[in-house]
Amino acid sequence: MDLRITAEEEALVFRLAELLDAGTRPREAQLVEELGPDVRQQLEGLKAKGWILVLEATGGMVITDLTGPTWKAVSSRRDVGW
């Protein structure tokens, strides 16, 4: 897992955590609609760095979960009020 992520990727991780906590498996197309086309590159970066788990589907990827270390990072940041 590559621990170096951009500020934009970090913000996306927290958005993905919100959606996953709510029981949603966000699709790439939904995220593009909500956050803009740059999200595709951020998703690819997070996937390559080992931060997210995805299924490749027709029409783009589906984010199925965050990796264990990612959930720990999100949880620790939430504890300090991020």
Side-chain angles (χ1 to χ4, degrees):
M1 179 174 185
D2 184 348
L3 298 178
R4 296 167 294 158
I5 62 172
T6 66
E8 292 83 9
E9 289 171 332
E10 181 180 43
L12 179 56
V13 164
F14 278 91
R15 180 63 182 136
L16 294 173
E18 288 176 46
L19 293 167
L20 291 164
D21 277 344
T24 302
R25 284 184 160 183
R27 295 183 167 276
E28 181 178 347
Q30 289 172 266
L31 295 166
V32 167
E33 187 175 312
E34 177 184 341
L35 303 170
D38 291 344
V39 78
R40 284 191 172 101
Q41 183 179 2
Q42 296 164 12
L43 288 169
E44 286 295 336
L46 290 170
K47 182 176 90 169
K49 294 174 185 177
W51 283 73
I52 60 175
L53 302 173
V54 303
L55 286 174
E56 296 296 335
T58 304
M61 65 178 82
V62 177
I63 292 71
T64 59
D65 209 346
L66 304 179
T67 62
T70 305
W71 278 118
K72 285 184 180 184
V74 168
S75 177
S76 70
R77 292 293 296 271
R78 285 180 179 166
D79 291 343
V80 295
W82 191 79

